[in-house]
Amino acid sequence: SCRPSLCDKVITMFRTIVLALALVGASAFAPVRPAASPRAAVVVSETKSDLVELAGKCNPAVKFFDPLNLAEQEFWGDSNEATIAFLRYSEIKHGRIAMFAFVGYCAQANGIHWPWAMTKAGDAFPTDLSPPEQWDAIPEAAKWQIFMVIAFLEFWNESTGTHYMRGGKIGAFPALSGEDSPLPHPVPFNLYDPFGLSAKKSEEAKARGLKIEINNGRLAQIGIMAFLAEAKVPGSVPLLAGCVKPYDGDSMAPFLSNFDMFNL
């Protein structure tokens, strides 16, 4: 334990850091407005016709599906090409996160966890709880650490290199290590292609791999939402009936049980 005054200072500093990172992550979604016309600054070539072609290659049965006509919009007053780049990157990123979530849910539901203790005090990872209950059981500080790392990655992705809405490569993540990284602190691996496998592939192989990734990401998004729906409302997903432990919490409120960092 520590003196009350010292604890108050530490908590205040921690709140300030978290709030700053949260604001940085949120500002990443604000449109970039250069002095010149934003349309002239966008150097991207993908249009709705490119999406139609890509959709046919990803899924010849469904093909292009856009009931909300998002591919014809101009978000934040920007160009349609920039909007399409935003939508494409959003789908790829959400697909990747969903793949992590789906595999993680399966691992946690089967009692698979890291070999070390969950806390410095020696507390073990809970194995008799459902994945959402395991999240509720971890310390609040651990949750904030996870969100702070995510906030940094969002900041790094949105602020480093050529932005994907301005001609940057869709799906690529700025380098964290190597000669291409401006980070002053050494990082052992890049988040994107950490082992350099993609660098050795042909452009045709990379294009095929991206289509596979898009399809897997779409399935993973459906899969993780199915897990959460069945856990919350047993029987809502007939194929998962009896396979998913019920959960009476709120998966969309990650700090529901102890959200007191900002006295909310």
Side-chain angles (χ1 to χ4, degrees), residues 126-146:
T127 57
D128 57 341
L129 303 176
S130 67
E133 290 171 335
Q134 292 178 42
W135 168 264
D136 291 339
I138 67 174
E140 182 182 2
K143 295 178 182 179
W144 281 111
Q145 289 173 12
I146 293 171

Side-chain angles (χ1 to χ4, degrees), residues 106-131:
C106 293
Q108 290 178 259
N110 286 278
I112 301 174
H113 58 81
W114 299 112
W116 50 79
M118 182 177 67
T119 66
K120 290 185 177 180
D123 299 323
F125 286 97
T127 57
D128 57 341
L129 303 176
S130 67

Side-chain angles (χ1 to χ4, degrees), residues 156 159-161 174-186 190:
W156 190 251
S159 63
T160 307
L176 292 171
S177 66
E179 298 180 355
D180 297 332
S181 175
L183 269 182
H185 188 281
N190 284 314

Side-chain angles (χ1 to χ4, degrees), residues 15-231:
R15 289 176 177 173
T16 303
I17 293 173
V18 172
L19 179 59
L21 286 173
L23 292 176
V24 166
S27 65
F29 293 93
V32 178
R33 301 281 182 152
S37 169
R39 294 176 184 272
V42 178
V43 189
V44 290
S45 59
E46 288 193 85
T47 61
K48 181 178 178 179
S49 60
D50 295 312
L51 294 184
V52 173
E53 181 181 358
L54 177 64
K57 294 178 180 179
C58 288
N59 193 326
V62 177
K63 296 185 179 180
F64 186 67
F65 182 74
D66 183 22
L68 299 179
N69 292 322
L70 295 178
E72 298 177 2
Q73 304 302 312
E74 296 182 349
F75 291 174
W76 307 295
D78 215 321
S79 69
N80 177 251
E81 290 82 0
T83 299
I84 288 176
F86 171 81
L87 293 172
R88 282 211 59 203
Y89 199 96
S90 295
E91 180 183 30
I92 292 173
K93 180 163 65 174
H94 282 81
R96 289 170 177 171
I97 297 302
M99 286 188 278
F100 273 116
F102 183 86
V103 174
Y105 199 105
C106 293
Q108 290 178 259
N110 286 278
I112 301 174
H113 58 81
W114 299 112
W116 50 79
M118 182 177 67
T119 66
K120 290 185 177 180
D123 299 323
F125 286 97
T127 57
D128 57 341
L129 303 176
S130 67
E133 290 171 335
Q134 292 178 42
W135 168 264
D136 291 339
I138 67 174
E140 182 182 2
K143 295 178 182 179
W144 281 111
Q145 289 173 12
I146 293 171
F147 274 90
M148 289 173 70
V149 171
I150 293 173
F152 167 75
L153 293 177
E154 283 289 332
F155 162 76
W156 190 251
N157 182 39
E158 297 288 338
S159 63
T160 307
T162 303
H163 197 271
Y164 49 85
M165 292 179 67
R166 296 290 178 262
K169 184 178 180 181
I170 296 177
F173 191 89
L176 292 171
S177 66
E179 298 180 355
D180 297 332
S181 175
L183 269 182
H185 188 281
V187 177
F189 299 105
N190 284 314
L191 185 64
Y192 175 76
D193 192 23
F195 303 109
L197 300 178
S198 295
K200 304 175 184 178
K201 294 182 179 179
S202 64
E203 292 302 319
E204 293 76 10
K206 291 180 181 178
R208 179 177 177 275
L210 182 58
K211 296 183 186 70
I212 294 174
E213 181 183 34
I214 291 174
N215 284 334
N216 289 341
R218 290 171 177 173
L219 288 175
Q221 291 177 72
I222 296 173
I224 188 61
M225 291 306 297
F227 280 153
L228 297 178
E230 178 62 25

